[in-house]
Amino acid sequence: MELFCNPRARRPPAVAPDTAWAAPEAVRAVRQFHRTLPAYRPTPLVSLGSLARALGLDGIFLKDESGRFGLKAFKGLGASYAVCAALAGRLALPPPLDFTRFQKPDVRRAIADITLVTASDGNHGTAVAWMAAQLGCRSRIFLPAGTAACRLAAIRSTGGETLVVDGNYDDAVQQAAREARSPGRILVQDTTWEGYETIPKNVMQGYLTLFDEAFAQLGAALVTHVFVPCGVGSLAASLQAFLVEKFREQRPILVVVESAAADCYYRSMAAGARTIIPVRGPMKTRMAGLACGQPSPAAWDILRHFTDGFIRAGDDIALEGMQRLARPHPPDPGVESGECGAVALGCLCRLMDPANAADRHRLGLEPASRILLFSTEGATDPESYRQAVQRRPVGPSAES
């Protein structure tokens, strides 16, 4: 595990990135849309008080996304909002955005021949395919070589068509973009590039509901630090924009966590944050959802200016987080969390180890600290999850 602390995070940027799309009125509108989805329910916020005491912290709160829409991951929030916003634009439906409009026979006939296209490591593709099924249209999901069979099956179970490319996630994105040029296609990608910004920005807006739920559930228990996993960066940047708009200069410290095999943000920040340094070639990691070598430019602009810390973490740290959540300190409840969902907790545990006092000090972690974590996925690969939580405990503080 390696930490980079961003020296510019608390300085007013010369040219501030746009975060107005995460302002409170936008958050309310997005959450109101999600409330029109029949399957929408807020996911639980779990208090891990016993673990917090064991680590020497005042509190740990974990947002458990394993039950979101029955998809075992948070991605349905972004996919549902972005897809419906794109369709509303195509059909000239007036605001506010409301899912019930898409259930009307004339609207369903109008979208029946549309195909939603995306690239994914699994969870985002499942969410897009699920949304297509809710709307009565089709979906084609491009995935990198080596994608686990269970993740392909999850997409197919919702009616999505899967296409595995000979390459990594970024190669799948390029192929999906080419496919989406055909008539009747809509590309629903969660990363931006020049000329393709609106739909990814709407994906990021869709995630605002997750943070609004979490802070409403926290109530008066304000947190000092927030940890979040980071792939292309859309979730992390959405969270950072939310924190900037909600708390301004009083916002909690945000730490984003990447896989060490796909550490494009970490290496770009460590090199001076002037330009993106991508990761090329195969990215071998258990954290499939974080195996993204090219940051989203829209996310990069927000994170490099405002985010306090960037961590690159090995697979063993994700395993430690999974085990901690599966075998909790009583009376803390157990939480089913996959590698991407658990890696942030694994990092927190390592930071609180006496050997990492310097990094802990740099982040201001102390006995009065209260931490918010996002477990972004459940056991999306059930067999891998079973093996991970049953193996010998991982980490220098595994027995604490």
Side-chain angles (χ1 to χ4, degrees), residues 253-268:
I253 291 169
L254 180 65
V255 181
V256 301
V257 180
E258 295 179 281
S259 165
D263 58 343
C264 47
Y265 280 95
Y266 178 93
R267 62 174 64 185
S268 301

Side-chain angles (χ1 to χ4, degrees), residues 292-369:
C292 310
Q294 181 72 41
S296 171
W300 160 251
D301 198 34
I302 292 170
L303 295 176
R304 73 188 178 107
H305 280 103
F306 294 120
T307 300
D308 299 279
F310 296 80
I311 289 178
R312 61 190 302 271
D315 285 356
D316 60 323
I317 295 177
L319 291 176
E320 179 177 354
M322 294 169 72
Q323 292 173 351
R324 291 272 194 171
L325 290 170
R327 299 195 292 266
H329 287 247
D332 291 354
V335 176
E336 179 190 276
S337 184
E339 288 88 348
C340 299
V343 66
L345 177 63
C347 288
L348 178 62
C349 292
R350 293 292 177 94
L351 284 165
M352 299 311 296
D353 186 89
N356 293 313
D359 283 344
R360 186 164 63 251
H361 176 73
R362 292 165 70 199
L363 288 174
L365 286 166
E366 55 188 25
S369 297

Side-chain angles (χ1 to χ4, degrees), residues 77-91:
L77 291 170
S80 60
Y81 187 76
V83 167
C84 288
L87 291 173
R90 180 168 292 202
L91 301 176

Side-chain angles (χ1 to χ4, degrees), residues 374-389:
F374 292 90
S375 177
T376 53
E377 65 175 4
T380 56
D381 186 336
E383 179 57 26
S384 176
Y385 175 81
R386 184 190 65 79
Q387 293 176 4
V389 299

Side-chain angles (χ1 to χ4, degrees), residues 227-264:
F227 286 67
V228 67
C230 182
V232 296
S234 292
L235 177 70
S238 179
L239 173 56
Q240 183 66 84
F242 176 91
L243 295 175
V244 167
E245 290 291 326
K246 185 175 180 68
F247 298 104
R248 298 295 174 178
E249 292 78 14
Q250 303 303 313
R251 67 185 184 271
I253 291 169
L254 180 65
V255 181
V256 301
V257 180
E258 295 179 281
S259 165
D263 58 343
C264 47

